[in-house]
Amino acid sequence: MPHAHDPAVADLVEVPLPGGRLTAAQLQVLAELAHEHAGGTLVLTAGGLGMRGDRTELTARLTGHGFDLPGEHRHRLLVSPLSGRIGGHVDVWETLAGVQDRLDGTVPDREIVVGIDDGTGDIAALAPEVGALALPDGRWALLLDGTDSGVRLPPGDVVEALVAAAQRPRRAGVAATLAALGLERRSRRRRTRRPRPGPWDGSTSPTGRSPSAAVCPGRCCRRGWRSSSRPWTAPWW
């Protein structure tokens, strides 16, 4: 199969594959179009497959078969390729279908990458502009601008949030996007640090407990105490 970088097939119509997935029915459609318009040749591209021919006619023939139709700007849908087979917390293909149906017919002002990660981290590592990462507790983390936005979504809200976030204005920013969607970051708990042991003044122990006698083996060494071959008494044990 020729590659898109081949000069002989440089002028071609790219057919993006949503989520990188190709069904048997879709492959049959591409094979028929390639036979009729491109001399039976399909070309590998960075975003899917491609063929040479009239763009308007090919686009009309591809409509209704689940392809991302070629255009200047579009939503690129990326999903964990082995979802439902190996690893991950959920099967993301149903979520992909919901997002694709909702975005069908919308024309973004730029190319936007929408990622759906089943929890393996393969898509999140690509830092999509908009995405969702499945979590072990059944919720989803909303990803914006390649980072965790701090928002946690129930499964029923994932498609709606992804579709809405994918239509945000250029350079909207995480805070502005969350405000427009009516979403709030999860509250972060502040970790309280236990005070580090300090010099003992003879009245209380560094842990706050009353002194008590205990014997420590000779080679046990603490902060500011020298190791000794003789047992010694630790007053707070």
Side-chain angles (χ1 to χ4, degrees):
M1 181 178 291
H3 194 275
H5 295 299
D6 188 343
V9 292
D11 184 19
L12 55 83
V13 177
E14 184 178 358
V15 184
L17 306 178
R21 195 180 195 186
L22 184 65
T23 66
Q26 289 174 326
L27 183 58
Q28 181 64 34
V29 171
L30 291 177
E32 294 176 356
L33 289 176
H35 178 73
E36 297 174 9
H37 300 275
T41 300
L42 287 174
V43 180
L44 286 174
T45 68
L49 298 173
M51 66 183 72
R52 303 188 69 176
D54 182 81
R55 178 176 296 272
T56 302
E57 183 176 356
L58 290 176
T59 300
R61 293 283 301 275
L62 290 171
T63 301
H65 294 285
F67 294 106
D68 286 339
L69 299 181
E72 183 179 358
H73 300 301
R74 59 186 174 85
H75 296 97
R76 289 183 57 197
L77 303 180
L78 304 179
V79 300
S80 301
L82 297 180
S83 181
R85 298 179 181 271
I86 300 177
H89 304 305
V90 296
D91 190 334
V92 301
W93 296 109
E94 184 176 348
T95 303
L96 169 66
V99 173
Q100 184 181 2
D101 289 343
R102 294 288 303 277
L103 291 178
D104 189 22
T106 62
V107 181
D109 59 353
R110 65 196 185 282
E111 184 170 286
I112 300 178
V113 177
V114 180
I116 306 175
D117 194 312
D118 65 358
T120 55
D122 50 359
I123 300 302
L126 300 177
E129 181 176 342
V130 176
L133 170 68
L135 301 176
D137 62 3
R139 297 181 301 167
W140 292 74
L142 179 63
L143 310 178
L144 294 174
D145 294 336
T147 61
D148 185 355
S149 67
V151 172
R152 298 296 177 261
L153 301 168
D157 294 345
V158 176
V159 172
E160 183 72 24
L162 288 177
V163 171
Q167 301 180 66
R168 64 179 183 159
R170 184 190 299 269
R171 294 187 293 273
V174 175
T177 300
L178 295 181
L181 299 180
L183 299 174
E184 295 182 357
R185 291 185 173 97
R186 61 191 175 96
S187 59
R188 297 183 178 180
R189 296 180 180 177
R190 291 187 176 182
R191 296 183 178 180
T192 57
R193 295 185 178 181
R194 178 179 296 179
R196 300 184 64 178
W200 180 57
D201 59 4
S203 60
T204 59
S205 72
T207 58
R209 295 193 296 267
S210 299
S212 61
V215 176
C216 179
R219 292 189 179 182
C220 180
C221 181
R222 298 284 181 175
R223 180 192 299 265
W225 304 336
R226 295 183 180 179
S227 238
S228 173
S229 60
R230 296 176 299 173
W232 46 271
T233 300
W236 52 80
W237 287 354

